[in-house]
Amino acid sequence: MNREAFLARVREAATSGLRYRVHADPTVTRAMGYSTIEEDLVARFTAEVAKVGGRPVVVPSMEAARREAAQIFRIYEPRSALCWRHPVLDRFGLTDWLRTERVTQIDSALLAPQARAEQRRDMLAADIGITSCTFALAETGSLVMAHEFGNERVASLVPPVYLAIVSREQILADLFDAFDRLGERLAKRDWPSNVTLITGPSKTGDIESKLVVGVHGPGKWHVLVVDETAGEKPAPA
Amino acid sequence: MSTTDFTRQTHHEFLTASSQALVDANLQLSLANVGDTLAKRNREAWETFPQSAPLRELARQIKDATLADLAGHLETLEASVRERGGEVHYAGDGDDACRIVTDILRSRGAKRVVKSKSMTTEEIHLNDALEAAGIEPIETDLGEYIVQLSKQRPSHLVAPALHLRMPEIHQLLSTDAGETLPNTPEDLCAYARTRLRDAFATADAGITGANFAVAETGTIVLISNEGNARLTVTMPKLHIAILGIEKVIPKLADLPIFLKVLARAATGQKLSIYTTLANGPRKPDELEGPDEFHVVLLDNGRTRILEGPLRESLFCIRCGACLNVCPIYRNIGGHAYGGTYSGPIGAVLTPLYDGLTNNRHLPHASSLCGACQAACPVKIAIPEMLIQLRDQLHKEPGEMHWAEAQAYGLWARSMRSPRLYRFLTWLATRTVGRVLPSGWLKKLPGPLHGWTKNRDFPAPARERFRDWWSREGME
């Protein structure tokens, strides 16, 4: 249909419909929908991750994170890992660590020069996906991912096993905070082509409402939270 | 076959279909736990999240304000999509939309498309149009894939295969696989994962609907628990999103308000597993995502609703909560409604899209108990709209049987005249009330028998309340 005729029809209908507008309660505000989190953000975040079927671990240092990651690798024995390039993963020392684990690292540096068919073959064959996140959300146990070159979508989507390495300062309290931060990127015209909020392993209830994990995305969902302030505090009893 | 299959027909007689549904043992088993699972989760979500009350009111206000200047927001959406390298198309009706989509696909030589669950593409029968154009559509949501294999239609907004039981699903997927698959949900999901991975890897295009479209950013928002929507907008070279014009919201900052209530209403989750903001085609350096990004805006009767008293039905965000709590839906399931959209909101939308007289029974397929409105994340006044539709229906020429018109006419007159009312109640208690001991009329005479076909009519009491009152001496 012709664009002008289409929009003219919408405009006319919207105007006629004005007399059927609903009553609005002027006292409600956005702030009333904000979830204030009293407890420690790491504690709340990991509790929510566990609730949605993820497996969270909190570690006090990058060294401890590497030990935990090695434990996870012992379970799945991956041969190749589809990875992000990210400052938190650099601090983790991912490239060197994967080399010592004898696991092939597949990331944008390896993939960029390849032809599309080769890229796809390598992406689809990866045994585990390893990423950090753009932000994490304590309210819901979510990872917010701004996808761009180096931080590919497929890493958290295609392999059957997934590992996120999150640093304490990445955790925000509420969904509104995440959208405020995304809004800042939009204002700076640094708006990615895809943003995804991930809240747990892939799930379906389509067969007799029975929960099955890992239908299209990863079914194993590990989250390592590196809280370097944890060592400074007395250990919980 | 002499009996009609109500799960496949696109249009049918509601009374017949609902009677069939009530005696369909498999369907009844499937529906039995809807109240205990989905409806319960919705109730708990509102009870345990005190912030939901203002959020639902805000979501409602944003929808209302957006509709007030819908054309302006669509223009903003178009400008944002264009700025990011996408294209916007305008479809006046379903045929228009199907033509736009098949033209895009044909001109690129596309042979196979993967689809992520979309009620809007169901509404316009896109899969039929694609097949007619020689393009193979593959549904990738597990429930939709099963429903596609069964050649039926989805029976629930968010759980499309809710009506099917394990043995039927096992049979369908085994036939698809060409071998008998192991008989557990996990194994069947594993089969579908492998089968559909191949589809994602070889598809020429991905087709989605949209849960929301953000005008400010040109974003198509897709929500799923399985991850198929993400794969659909990541693997193929081409992404086409088809959405009704009411899906637009003005600002990025509006989106979290809807996200906070949608998943809670639908499944009791705080957020669904994957909330994807598809913001356009891939950037030049990116390794994934579509090269082309098309948005098809669909009217298909929405402007007709927008200008009228049932405008509020356009607030619907398709969470399915009203279905889960509805005593009618929970007895007859989705197919009996005969339209794309079922349950209470379907009883409003189907007559609006498909004509009131074609769907004359739908506004009556409700007990008006109000559970739908209480469950709705945007608090749509569904019962009031059903009453309005009933009223409109009775004003349609030829809709009312003469006997019904006489009965209501007499009732209306008697309610206006105390003397006539007193006489008629006296007459009723002295006649039917005295001869009928059970208190229920099993069968009304003549053309009134329709009332008693599926229910009893309360018989008049033996004595009028007025007589009892004065006999007891209570002033």
Side-chain angles (χ1 to χ4, degrees), chain B residues 336-393:
Chain B
Y337 288 82
T340 305
Y341 307 102
S342 61
I345 194 66
V348 175
L349 293 176
T350 302
L352 290 174
Y353 287 135
D354 186 42
L356 189 52
T357 50
N358 287 341
N359 297 281
R360 61 170 65 79
H361 293 293
L362 289 186
H364 294 277
S366 167
S367 59
L368 303 179
C369 68
C372 46
Q373 187 173 1
C376 177
V378 285
K379 303 201 285 184
I380 300 173
I382 296 175
E384 277 177 44
M385 289 197 282
L386 290 170
I387 292 170
Q388 284 205 42
L389 284 173
R390 291 180 187 187
D391 184 51
Q392 281 181 33
L393 186 65

Side-chain angles (χ1 to χ4, degrees), chain B residues 93-131:
Chain B
D93 58 26
D95 290 345
D96 233 7
C98 290
R99 194 163 48 243
I100 290 166
V101 174
T102 49
D103 282 354
I104 295 170
L105 293 172
R106 269 182 174 156
S107 65
R108 274 84 173 162
K111 291 271 175 274
R112 170 186 268 196
V113 300
V114 279
K115 285 185 68 208
S116 164
K117 180 174 166 34
S118 150
M119 292 307 288
T120 309
T121 61
E122 289 288 336
E123 175 190 322
I124 63 174
H125 306 292
L126 179 67
N127 287 1
D128 294 340
L130 290 174
E131 280 167 9

